[in-house]
Amino acid sequence: MLATLLSAAVTSWGAPLAAERFSVGGPNAPTPVASYTLRARLDSNTHAITGEGTIRWVNASAASTDELYFHLYLNAFKHNQTVFNRSAFTRARSGRVSQHWGHIDIRRLTARELGGADLLPHLEQHSPGDPLDATDLRVALPSPVAPGSVLTLDIAWESVLPDIIERTGFSRDFHFAGQWFPKLARLEQDGTWSHFTFHPHAEFYADFGDYDVTLDVPEAMHLGATGHRVEETVSDGRRVVQQRASGVHDFAWTAWPAFEEQHARILETDIHLLYPPGHGRNAERTLDTLRFVLPLFNSRYGPYPYADLTVVHPPRHAGAAGGMEYPTLITTGGAWHASYWSRAVELVTVHELGHQWFYGLLATNEQRWPFLDEGLNSYAESVAAEALFGAASASDLLGFSLSSEALRRASMQLEPHAAPLALPASDFVSFAELAGVVYSRTALLFTTVANVYGAAEVDAALLRYAQRYRFRHPEPEDLLLVLTEVLGEPAVKDIRAAIHQGHGVNYVARDLRSALMAEPRGMLPAAEAGVAPASAGGRFESRVDVHRQGELQFPVDILLITASGEHVWKYWNGDGRVEMVSHVGASPVVSAVVDPKGSIVIEENLLDNAVRQHPPFPVNTLDRLVYAFQLLLGVLAP
Amino acid sequence: MTELTWPRARSRRRIARAILATYAFRLGAAWLLALPVVHTIAASGISRFPEGDKKLFESGGLYLLEVLQREQATLFAHLFSAAGLLLLFSFMGLGFDWLQLRALRSTPPSQPLSSDAAWVLPRLVLLGALTWLVRAVLLIVTLTLAMTVRSYFLTAADERIPDLIFLGLLALGLLAQVGISVLRDVVSASLADRDIGRSQAYLRGFGLLMRHPLSLVTRYASSGTATLAVLAICAAVVAQLDVARAGAWRTGLSVALHQTAVLLTILLRTYWLSGALRAAELARR
């Protein structure tokens, strides 16, 4: 009877393992370079994960290598002198340091193809000039591994999760395991390893591979993880779950007894939604958002290729685990009472889903060029949010609305100096600067390019980029190459300057003047010679100077409005320092505005774009402020 | 007391004048408070656009955030200095409340206005200061209590439990604040009576609230609810009006709607004050 009960506890989660929507070995198929078969057990009391397994690594570069590099990201939380924790001024988003230290130690490491050589004695910390940091480890190999050769590593390790200060860790009985296993760095095509110390501003970078992971957690835990659930058994108070994922470059999972679950199918993808009690409304909002955005991103950046997507909404006490992306698993956030007008739940869902392309499928080096994932994804998020909500894409309450664009400009202007977009994450002085440049400035640059050169052209370029480099590791020049193919060199010249030099632009309208034209006088040629100037006829000559500050040269429209209400459109290709815009007509120009449609949203200052002869008193502002103070006087009456 | 009815014997013209004086005071004070901020907005460059400051109200808030961010230092300085003026004007508003109470009396005042004012206004200011003090203490107690109790429930797996407990305690605090408002206004009505001393007026107010809590709070709450409804309707209509769109008439209509709403809130308060006064008058008989 007991045996029957135990075997009956074998369940499956969702549909049977669906074939991934790519054929291994086919065009654009992911080439497994670093594949992991792991088995891990969680002790929910000590928050320790003990694991073992094998890593099958292929030297996919063109050169032999006699070393390996491992990222042991969890060691960032080992003490307060790691690069991640050491400075109060560069700590990442939360700004906090763990109270419960976390770490990861490799206990066994042998290489089958090298005669079962024990590599453990050859492990050495490799954070240059930083002996206290153990997030980047080098392993010297006894003999080189030739290009195309396979190395099978048998590995055992123990991880202890920190309390969650960012992305990974535990909070009470909630566990989120990100970067929880020893992860091979990526060997580039030229034989150099892309490895780095874990910096608080940085994210991750790894090779594609196939993951087969068996997780052993207390029975009471609800579990969500990267990939597809192959098997789930419950026995002796433990829940054992096997997950498989092909063509991914990371694996994360979460376990919490209190999770509630919803499952849905959108197109060909099974959605598994895990959320805290009381968040049913947020779960519906998340699913509604996914129903709209998943097909949209499929059409814009190529189809989502996996059979599953797990969405985790962490509980409030573990909020630092929210807003993060892993292959086929994203974490969201928001209070149970999150208002509809705030759009917070929707926007975080859109953003993290977008990372399935800009990080997941386009597996860029997030430490070296964070703009390639966060920046392009922020642009993708803005486009999707506008498609979903219109201009009021960030919030809308009783006519007072905010767009993602407006918020991005505010974020960009918090750090007014223009840094190159292509800086490494660790080169930014603060996360606010990184956010302003990497997230906001990049998104605003692409919005500007779309507004100026055509949204359809930018869409086509990003689709081509996403298709060409799907399951690959593109670099900035790859993006620029595709943009040049579609948009042409003039547009890309500006994008390149913004990416590599941090160039910006600001248009200023100044000195609007109008004067009645004088009748021709003096020693003019005779009328019969046919060169005599025409009579001024009471017409006005008007002129406004439009200055371009900064190096970027976007073409702009200039709108002149005459006293009689006539609208005159002028065009400036942006070449040169200043353009003197003239108009001759029966009525003087009384108002001029550069970029009246607000296309160049990356501009430094939008308020100096207009000039007007007699600016009106701001009656609308007065109306609102007087009303607000009138009400306040009533409320504050003692 | 069996009923709280609008006093019959009074001069409607006197009441209208008191209401208009209150409205004019609020308008003038708000204008003075707003003007420096409006000048800063005007100087920001937004008025130079063909649309003028309508651009601030465009959907998406692009230009609004731009102005707020670029002018934040000046705007904060203005708002900081406005806080002092706001305090002053709030106390000055007590005089206009009293004007309404005086106009609402069922018997004509026996003393000239200046004499009455000199007698009652210091007492009203003291009552106002006391009210603020009690309100502040109550607010601190409510928040401390609510946060402390909430913290005991933070380990609940359902996040709603601590939050709903917190909100429930805040609601109780709000109810107590309503009670203070009712008490203040009833005492104000009693203070207007020169036949009794200050302490007697306070005692009469307490006594009234103890004897007729339901009828007084109901009348206050009905006036307050109607006020909130007026403000919500006004906000919804002005949002639909969308002043960012072309047409000066939208601005005109927005001004008219806002000022009508303010006038209505003053009328609703007059309605409540008449009830408070009636209660005080009945208690005196």
Side-chain angles (χ1 to χ4, degrees):
Chain A
M1 183 65 185
L2 182 63
T4 311
L5 282 174
L6 290 177
S7 61
V10 176
T11 57
S12 82
W13 204 42
L17 178 60
E20 305 290 11
R21 265 174 266 135
F22 47 79
S23 55
V24 176
N28 271 343
T31 308
V33 175
S35 295
Y36 296 74
T37 303
L38 306 174
R39 185 178 180 88
R41 178 186 172 90
L42 170 71
D43 182 331
S44 58
N45 294 317
T46 61
H47 316 293
I49 301 168
T50 46
E52 60 178 14
T54 58
I55 304 173
R56 183 182 183 278
W57 178 72
V58 181
N59 181 353
S61 80
S64 293
T65 184
D66 58 0
E67 60 182 358
L68 299 174
Y69 281 89
F70 279 97
H71 286 302
L72 301 187
Y73 294 112
L74 272 188
N75 282 339
F77 309 102
K78 200 169 186 177
H79 49 72
N80 69 351
Q81 292 303 306
T82 62
V83 169
F84 196 99
N85 281 333
R86 141 183 335 152
S87 170
F89 307 110
T90 55
R91 274 178 215 141
R93 300 166 215 203
S94 69
R96 288 172 41 227
V97 173
S98 299
Q99 300 301 305
H100 180 283
W101 304 119
H103 64 90
I104 175 169
D105 293 317
I106 298 177
R107 298 282 164 81
R108 186 178 77 235
L109 185 63
T110 58
R112 288 184 197 172
E113 288 79 5
L114 302 179
D118 183 2
L119 303 179
L120 206 54
H122 305 290
L123 277 176
E124 55 171 322
Q125 288 181 206
H126 196 276
S127 295
D130 217 321
L132 292 173
D133 196 286
T135 57
D136 184 14
L137 261 70
R138 177 179 180 272
V139 184
L141 298 175
S143 55
V145 179
S149 298
V150 172
L151 194 62
T152 308
L153 303 167
D154 290 298
I155 192 165
W157 81 96
E158 185 189 57
S159 300
V160 174
L161 296 175
D163 54 324
I164 295 182
I165 57 162
E166 188 155 309
R167 302 183 184 119
T168 186
F170 73 91
S171 175
R172 299 178 199 159
D173 51 355
F174 171 88
H175 293 78
F176 195 97
Q179 315 306 331
W180 56 284
F181 59 96
K183 206 164 139 190
L184 272 175
R186 175 172 147 75
L187 185 63
E188 301 291 353
Q189 189 59 28
D190 64 359
T192 58
W193 284 91
S194 285
H195 63 101
F196 42 84
T197 305
F198 189 19
H199 189 276
H201 298 160
E203 294 185 294
F204 314 104
Y205 184 44
D207 264 313
F208 286 99
D210 301 330
Y211 285 70
D212 186 336
V213 179
T214 303
L215 299 166
D216 178 347
V217 299
E219 180 186 349
M221 294 283 190
H222 290 254
L223 198 140
T226 293
H228 187 84
R229 188 152 305 180
V230 179
E231 189 174 313
E232 180 170 352
T233 59
V234 175
S235 66
D236 297 333
R238 304 291 296 179
R239 182 180 302 276
V240 179
V241 168
Q242 187 183 6
Q243 297 275 143
R244 277 194 199 135
S246 294
V248 296
H249 48 77
D250 200 356
F251 189 100
W253 55 281
T254 184
W256 190 38
F259 269 134
E260 293 183 357
E261 298 184 21
Q262 276 195 42
H263 302 277
R265 189 169 177 83
I266 301 174
L267 299 178
E268 295 172 53
T269 306
D270 289 320
I271 309 291
H272 313 290
L273 188 56
L274 301 174
Y275 56 95
H279 282 258
R281 201 172 58 113
N282 284 341
E284 289 303 325
R285 291 171 68 178
T286 302
L287 282 174
D288 285 346
T289 305
L290 290 173
R291 284 187 189 103
F292 181 85
V293 180
L294 187 57
L296 181 75
F297 283 169
N298 277 348
S299 66
R300 292 181 67 87
Y301 312 117
Y304 178 77
Y306 308 106
D308 298 82
L309 174 70
T310 298
V311 182
V312 180
H313 189 128
R316 177 166 51 198
H317 59 83
M324 187 56 195
E325 69 281 5
Y326 302 90
T328 80
L329 184 150
I330 59 175
T331 68
T332 59
W336 64 268
H337 49 78
S339 310
Y340 278 100
W341 60 266
S342 78
R343 323 265 205 237
V345 172
E346 288 82 1
L347 289 184
V348 71
T349 305
V350 172
H351 184 89
E352 304 311 333
L353 179 67
H355 274 305
Q356 292 303 308
W357 283 264
F358 298 104
Y359 150 82
L361 296 170
L362 299 153
T364 51
N365 185 335
E366 294 185 290
Q367 143 67 22
R368 179 64 191 83
W369 300 291
F371 87 98
L372 284 176
D373 59 297
E374 294 296 356
L376 291 182
N377 187 43
S378 294
Y379 172 69
E381 176 203 326
S382 290
V383 171
E386 195 174 332
L388 195 52
F389 296 116
S393 54
S395 68
D396 189 9
L397 177 66
L398 287 174
F400 176 71
S401 65
L402 285 175
S403 64
S404 306
E405 237 166 54
L407 292 179
R408 292 203 194 290
R409 274 195 64 79
S411 161
M412 180 182 81
Q413 289 178 340
L414 286 176
E415 299 294 334
H417 64 279
L421 306 184
L423 282 185
S426 50
D427 280 14
F428 289 98
V429 297
S430 65
F431 187 75
E433 188 191 43
L434 183 143
V437 174
V438 165
Y439 288 69
S440 301
R441 204 173 172 80
T442 307
L444 291 168
L445 173 70
F446 277 84
T447 304
T448 299
V449 172
N451 290 342
V452 173
Y453 296 104
E457 284 75 8
V458 171
D459 290 351
L462 286 181
L463 177 59
R464 186 181 293 188
Y465 168 71
Q467 285 175 330
R468 184 178 297 173
Y469 296 101
R470 191 176 172 87
F471 294 117
R472 293 171 65 187
H473 307 272
E475 298 185 358
E477 290 310 314
D478 299 319
L479 173 67
L480 289 168
L481 176 68
V482 175
L483 290 170
T484 308
E485 290 170 5
V486 180
L487 298 172
E489 185 53 33
V492 174
K493 182 169 69 76
D494 281 332
I495 301 173
R496 183 178 284 113
I499 287 176
H500 290 302
Q501 277 87 46
H503 287 173
V505 71
N506 187 41
Y507 291 96
V508 185
R510 280 191 201 142
D511 299 330
L512 173 61
R513 310 178 287 287
S514 291
L516 195 60
M517 292 176 74
E519 287 297 331
R521 287 187 297 175
M523 294 184 287
L524 295 163
E528 53 269 26
V531 293
S535 163
R539 291 186 303 165
F540 289 87
E541 181 187 4
S542 302
R543 203 180 92 175
V544 62
D545 300 339
V546 177
H547 296 254
R548 182 177 58 78
Q549 301 166 339
E551 301 83 355
L552 303 185
Q553 290 187 15
F554 291 109
V556 282
D557 290 323
I558 298 153
L559 172 64
L560 308 177
I561 301 175
T562 67
S564 62
E566 183 190 3
H567 284 48
V568 181
W569 289 88
K570 302 278 184 177
Y571 172 83
W572 180 29
N573 63 8
D575 197 19
R577 183 181 63 85
V578 62
E579 176 80 351
M580 290 174 285
V581 183
S582 299
H583 172 68
V584 173
S587 183
V589 172
V590 292
S591 174
V593 54
V594 196
D595 188 26
K597 293 175 188 161
S599 301
I600 304 170
V601 288
I602 199 174
E603 256 202 89
E604 301 302 322
N605 183 359
L606 296 177
L607 299 178
D608 56 11
N609 282 19
V611 62
R612 187 169 180 169
Q613 280 194 333
H614 303 290
F617 192 72
V619 182
N620 291 287
T621 311
L622 184 69
D623 167 37
R624 301 294 170 112
L625 281 170
V626 165
Y627 179 58
F629 279 120
Q630 282 174 305
L631 296 184
L632 210 52
L633 281 167
V635 170
L636 291 178
Chain B
M1 191 176 72
T2 53
E3 57 174 32
L4 291 167
T5 54
W6 190 280
R8 292 175 188 166
R10 64 183 184 277
S11 159
R12 290 188 187 279
R13 192 177 296 168
R14 203 170 36 176
I15 295 171
R17 273 205 302 268
I19 289 170
L20 284 176
T22 305
Y23 169 75
F25 162 72
R26 286 244 195 114
L27 182 63
W31 186 285
L32 283 176
L33 288 163
L35 222 47
V37 181
V38 174
H39 279 300
T40 301
I41 303 285
S44 70
I46 198 73
S47 295
R48 294 196 293 265
F49 282 86
E51 303 90 339
D53 73 335
K54 278 175 175 280
K55 272 196 105 58
L56 295 178
F57 303 93
E58 284 177 354
S59 184
L62 188 66
Y63 287 85
L64 179 64
L65 274 196
E66 190 85 3
V67 168
L68 292 179
Q69 198 161 26
R70 293 199 164 270
E71 304 295 336
Q72 58 180 310
T74 319
L75 290 174
F76 272 123
H78 284 321
L79 290 177
F80 189 72
S81 56
L85 266 183
L86 198 60
L87 182 74
L88 177 70
F89 289 145
S90 297
F91 272 91
M92 286 172 69
L94 289 172
F96 292 90
D97 260 9
W98 170 73
L99 269 184
Q100 289 187 55
L101 282 170
R102 193 171 188 272
L104 287 163
R105 287 178 64 161
S106 54
T107 54
S110 55
Q111 302 287 327
L113 180 72
S114 55
S115 165
D116 261 359
W119 190 86
V120 80
L121 283 180
R123 288 164 173 75
L124 284 177
V125 169
L126 184 66
L127 175 64
L130 202 62
T131 307
W132 265 13
L133 184 69
V134 174
R135 278 192 193 287
V137 169
L138 180 63
L139 182 67
I140 290 166
V141 168
T142 305
L143 286 176
T144 308
L145 184 70
M147 285 192 286
T148 307
V149 174
R150 178 179 181 267
S151 68
Y152 287 113
F153 292 89
L154 276 178
T155 50
D158 192 331
E159 294 166 15
R160 290 173 298 186
I161 292 170
D163 290 352
L164 291 175
I165 288 171
F166 182 77
L167 286 175
L169 289 168
L170 282 192
L172 283 179
L174 182 67
L175 199 62
Q177 294 278 5
V178 167
I180 290 171
S181 297
V182 171
L183 185 60
R184 175 201 60 193
D185 290 336
V186 174
V187 172
S188 294
S190 302
L191 274 173
D193 185 352
R194 291 183 66 165
D195 296 341
I196 60 169
R198 187 189 307 153
S199 52
Q200 278 177 298
Y202 280 73
L203 286 174
R204 185 186 285 173
F206 273 115
L208 272 172
L209 188 57
M210 291 298 108
R211 282 198 303 279
H212 310 286
L214 202 59
S215 55
L216 283 169
V217 170
T218 303
R219 183 156 182 147
Y220 181 87
S222 61
S223 158
T225 307
T227 301
L228 290 178
V230 165
L231 298 182
I233 290 167
C234 178
V237 174
V238 172
Q240 287 300 311
L241 189 60
D242 190 5
V243 296
R245 288 157 67 192
W249 65 270
R250 292 180 195 278
T251 303
L253 195 52
S254 168
V255 172
L257 283 166
H258 284 145
Q259 293 311 307
T260 305
V262 171
L263 202 55
L264 282 174
T265 62
I266 293 171
L267 278 171
L268 285 164
R269 177 152 175 77
T270 308
Y271 163 74
W272 152 242
L273 284 178
S274 74
L277 183 71
R278 182 72 176 146
E281 286 179 343
L282 286 175
R284 196 175 64 164
R285 286 171 196 168

